[in-house]
Amino acid sequence: MKSRKKLLSLSAAAVLSLSLAGQSFAATSTFTDLEQVAAKDKIISLQSQGLVSGVSSDLFQPDAALTASQGVQMIVKALGLNLNAINFFKAPQATDYFAKANNDAWYAQSLIIAANNDLKLDTELDPNQKWTKEMFTKELLIALDGHNIMHMMKLPPIAIKDKDDITLDALGAIQAAIYKGITTLDADGNFHPQADITRAQAAEMIYNSLKYIHPATGQISTPDSTGDVPRNGQSQPMIPADGQTGQVKADSNVYENTQYGFRFTLPNSWKGYTIVTDKWEGLSVSDTQAANVVESGAKISIRHPEWTSEQPRQDIPILVFTVDQWNELQQDKFHIGAAPIGPSELVRNDKYVFALPARYNFAYPEGYQEVEDILKSNPIQPIS
């Protein structure tokens, strides 16, 4: 598995703080100007996670037009981008990448991060320029696609009444954003691509993007005396009856799943790990049924004991397929997720194939390199 580290020479941590400055305020209080805003709850949720900032500690200015610098910062924060894996010969400046930037401005660090994380921004970007709905949607979808989060797959045609107002190179991104529920048309079927996008509209798109990338998990199921998550009174270790997420906490550093038949050996530092259960969904590849779920199965994630919602770490995700499902996936009869490549097989037994999701570590969270090293040691073995 390839690491994305770039080897230069001077530690980025030594030359610049990675916290976004200027308009970045701690979410110590809820914004006071959201009462009439439809996306109020979404904005507050993003604020509580430190993913959006106001123009002051208590004002968000939801109806103000979004500037390019504000839009870039939203995208950088949403994708969790940083400079942790990059070393520099000299301290980077925003003007190294964007001639119209101000190196002393609040947005300088977010521009540097964006430029070093392959966001395809124009070098002539004016940080103070107001972004239209088309501009923000295009940049957001390009960023998601560029980090293998949302591959621009072939989509069914979407009727947009004001399609002629959309620039040709932005049309694909806008159609994908509509199709994935990241943005919507108005009641008349118009997108208004050339209208300035407001800060509230942009924040809502960020929220919807994260919801698409990380579908909400359900209730936590309580394990029974065997350590398995019960379903309908029976000992069934993975998917709870309602398909929602269950969790099992383990004191050993060996996870054994008797329902599907595999054993996963972890380093001693993972003792006390948690098992988080969910499901994968396979979508039809037909244009006319693109949103139809045609297959599904268990997704089992092994979570590091130091994982917290405030400081998440890289999970070890395992997708469980029947052998027939796996064969159909290889024959392109359905697809999983938006990545351009499919899952990779880890091991199999007579009934099931256990696979690693494509681009599982797209955001490179804390511990991703450790997980890569664990997976290189062939830790998963089939059991009868």
Side-chain angles (χ1 to χ4, degrees):
M1 300 178 188
K2 184 181 294 184
S3 170
R4 68 195 294 264
K5 290 186 178 180
K6 301 176 182 178
L7 301 177
L8 298 174
S9 70
L10 178 65
S11 169
V15 297
L16 110 128
S17 166
L18 299 184
S19 61
L20 297 177
Q23 289 191 351
S24 296
F25 293 88
T28 55
S29 60
T30 301
F31 297 128
T32 60
D33 55 354
L34 300 177
E35 287 305 318
Q36 306 303 316
V37 178
K40 172 184 175 181
D41 291 342
K42 294 181 178 180
I43 296 171
I44 291 174
S45 175
L46 293 174
Q47 180 198 19
S48 69
Q49 299 173 68
L51 298 179
V52 297
S53 303
V55 297
S56 69
S57 60
D58 60 348
L59 295 178
F60 185 70
Q61 288 192 353
D63 297 325
L66 184 82
T67 64
S69 54
Q70 293 168 348
V72 170
Q73 178 167 291
M74 280 189 180
I75 293 170
V76 164
K77 284 188 173 184
L79 298 189
L81 303 181
N82 56 56
L83 302 176
N84 291 348
I86 307 173
N87 294 323
F88 296 91
F89 288 118
K90 68 179 186 66
Q93 294 189 334
T95 50
D96 294 338
Y97 312 98
F98 305 102
K100 297 179 181 179
N102 180 343
N103 292 323
D104 297 321
W106 63 268
Y107 56 71
Q109 291 184 24
S110 59
L111 291 188
I112 294 169
I113 292 171
N116 282 280
N117 280 273
D118 301 322
L119 270 66
K120 307 301 183 183
L121 297 169
D122 193 322
T123 57
E124 294 301 313
L125 176 82
D126 181 351
N128 298 313
Q129 176 188 6
K130 293 179 181 178
W131 265 0
T132 63
K133 287 188 69 179
E134 174 184 293
M135 289 176 178
F136 181 74
T137 304
K138 175 184 173 183
E139 297 300 343
L140 174 59
L141 269 290
I142 287 176
L144 293 170
D145 183 46
H147 283 74
N148 301 306
I149 300 170
M150 188 176 298
H151 181 60
M152 301 293 194
M153 66 185 69
K154 186 177 181 182
L155 300 173
I158 296 174
I160 304 174
K161 279 193 175 180
D162 53 356
K163 178 179 176 181
D164 291 344
D165 296 335
I166 299 175
T167 305
L168 185 60
D169 66 353
L171 181 59
I174 290 171
Q175 288 181 321
I178 295 169
Y179 180 76
K180 299 298 183 183
I182 292 172
T183 189
T184 60
L185 301 172
D186 69 12
D188 297 320
N190 293 304
F191 183 69
H192 306 288
Q194 304 311 319
D196 291 343
I197 188 169
T198 67
R199 287 168 51 82
Q201 289 171 331
E204 183 170 21
M205 287 181 63
I206 291 292
Y207 180 94
N208 292 342
S209 297
L210 294 174
K211 184 177 179 181
Y212 173 79
I213 298 167
H214 304 291
T217 56
Q219 294 178 324
I220 297 175
S221 298
T222 303
D224 63 15
S225 60
T226 67
D228 292 338
V229 176
R231 181 171 67 176
N232 297 335
Q234 299 177 356
S235 179
Q236 299 281 352
M238 287 295 100
I239 301 299
D242 55 6
Q244 294 178 330
T245 296
Q247 294 194 358
V248 178
K249 191 151 189 166
D251 292 327
S252 170
N253 66 323
V254 177
Y255 169 61
E256 186 168 297
N257 184 290
T258 56
Q259 180 181 13
Y260 297 114
F262 71 90
R263 179 184 297 110
F264 199 106
T265 303
L266 294 154
N268 289 331
S269 59
W270 281 61
K271 187 175 181 179
Y273 64 84
T274 299
I275 295 297
V276 181
T277 64
D278 206 335
K279 67 178 180 179
W280 60 262
E281 293 183 338
L283 304 180
S284 168
V285 297
S286 167
D287 282 350
T288 60
Q289 303 180 44
N292 287 357
V293 176
V294 296
E295 294 287 350
S296 65
K299 177 181 178 181
I300 303 165
S301 295
I302 306 175
R303 179 161 290 175
H304 195 281
E306 294 179 6
W307 187 100
T308 66
S309 57
E310 294 78 18
Q311 187 62 49
R313 295 177 63 92
Q314 177 66 60
D315 289 342
I316 303 175
I318 303 167
L319 305 183
V320 182
F321 299 84
T322 65
V323 173
D324 287 343
Q325 285 176 329
W326 183 256
N327 291 338
E328 290 182 356
L329 179 64
Q330 305 314 302
Q331 296 166 18
D332 294 325
K333 292 185 178 181
F334 64 91
H335 66 86
I336 296 175
I341 61 175
S344 55
E345 182 175 347
L346 293 169
V347 73
R348 67 171 66 195
N349 58 28
D350 292 341
K351 295 181 179 179
Y352 299 104
V353 175
F354 309 105
L356 189 68
R359 316 301 191 195
Y360 73 94
N361 59 0
F362 68 86
Y364 301 95
E366 182 74 20
Y368 84 91
Q369 186 63 61
E370 180 186 16
V371 169
E372 285 191 0
D373 293 340
I374 291 171
L375 291 169
K376 289 176 183 177
S377 68
N378 300 316
I380 184 170
Q381 300 295 329
I383 57 175
S384 56

